[in-house]
Amino acid sequence: MVSALHASRPRCPACLRPHSACICRWVTPVAHRTEVLILQHPLEVHEAKGTARLLHLSLPHSRLLTGEQWDPGVLQPLLTAPWGTPAPSVPPRRALLLYPEAPQDAALGLAAPPPLDPAWLPTPQGLRLVVLDGTWRKSRKMLHRNPLLQQLPRLPLLALPASRYRIRIARQPHQLSTLEATCAALAQLEADAERFAPLLAAFDGFVAQQAGWQGRSLRATNESD
């Protein structure tokens, strides 16, 4: 829970962080054809190490929605309906979920996802990538509480890169931050890894900034002991 003192600090209207911790300098707009819907767990909104807001601000064709459970009537249009001014000639988007299949899914009561139709892949401009932003525990809860998400085909990431996210401990070496995983997915869907290299370079700067703050906080704590 965010403390009253922390919540009352003036915040940047773009990145929603305190002005002293603003990350807007790392926002790096990139061109992309696949739309991205970021569903963020509420406890991630003010997480200093979180990357979803930076990702959203850097992807012009993205939306960010915060919550844990949504009414199907609200969620369904976000998954498939055209964004912006409706046009009769614009077909619905084909939504796919960026989330790995796991052996424990069935034990958790999660429905098996439908297979991803390979015919979708040659036209990334017709796709909408759905990304869950949260820890594994939080994202599984989001998936469990929203059956519409369980009905989406999942995108498997191929040739996972090593994570550059050294400020947050991962359970497995291949686990990536929300920003890294989304960049990897977009690079795969659009067959253009170089397009997302500037955003990943900016991400390195963001990580270094956060690591510096963590280091100063740790030193201050040690000096006060």
Side-chain angles (χ1 to χ4, degrees):
M1 181 177 294
V2 180
S3 68
L5 177 63
H6 184 68
S8 66
R9 294 168 63 185
R11 292 182 177 273
C12 169
C15 69
L16 307 182
R17 296 180 182 234
H19 287 290
S20 60
C22 178
I23 61 170
C24 288
R25 62 181 292 196
W26 305 116
V27 173
T28 307
V30 295
H32 60 107
R33 292 176 289 166
T34 304
E35 291 181 345
V36 178
L37 174 63
I38 306 164
L39 301 177
Q40 183 180 53
H41 192 279
L43 294 180
E44 291 293 317
V45 174
H46 296 299
E47 170 55 60
K49 300 183 288 294
T51 65
R53 193 74 187 175
L54 176 60
L55 175 68
H56 170 53
L57 294 174
S58 298
L59 297 182
H61 305 299
S62 71
R63 287 193 176 185
L64 189 153
L65 187 68
T66 301
E68 187 176 81
Q69 183 174 10
W70 293 271
D71 183 277
V74 173
L75 185 57
Q76 183 64 66
L78 289 167
L79 297 176
T80 58
W83 291 342
T85 304
S89 60
V90 178
R93 289 280 169 162
R94 291 165 169 165
L96 61 162
L97 182 66
L98 180 59
Y99 200 86
E101 292 189 52
Q104 63 267 33
D105 283 358
L108 294 172
L110 299 178
L116 175 59
D117 187 346
W120 291 13
L121 301 180
T123 55
Q125 65 273 16
L127 299 177
R128 182 169 294 158
L129 183 68
V130 181
V131 179
L132 304 184
D133 178 56
T135 63
W136 283 109
R137 182 178 179 181
K138 294 171 188 172
S139 62
R140 282 198 300 269
K141 184 176 290 187
M142 293 165 71
L143 189 56
H144 186 270
R145 293 191 172 183
N146 295 277
L148 282 178
L149 297 179
Q150 299 177 41
Q151 297 170 18
L152 299 180
R154 299 191 195 179
L155 177 70
L157 287 180
L158 308 176
L160 280 174
S163 178
R164 306 146 86 131
Y165 196 37
R166 56 189 175 88
I167 55 175
R168 205 168 193 175
I169 298 174
R171 293 185 177 182
Q172 301 293 333
H174 64 272
Q175 290 179 354
L176 306 175
S177 68
T178 296
L179 185 146
E180 291 175 294
T182 304
C183 284
L186 291 175
Q188 182 175 308
L189 289 169
E190 303 188 7
D192 190 352
E194 287 303 312
R195 185 184 307 170
F196 302 96
L199 178 52
L200 289 170
F203 172 71
D204 289 340
F206 161 79
V207 169
Q209 175 180 294
Q210 298 297 319
W213 286 334
Q214 286 181 345
R216 287 193 292 273
S217 177
L218 180 61
R219 286 194 297 273
T221 300
N222 290 337
E223 290 170 358
S224 65
D225 288 345

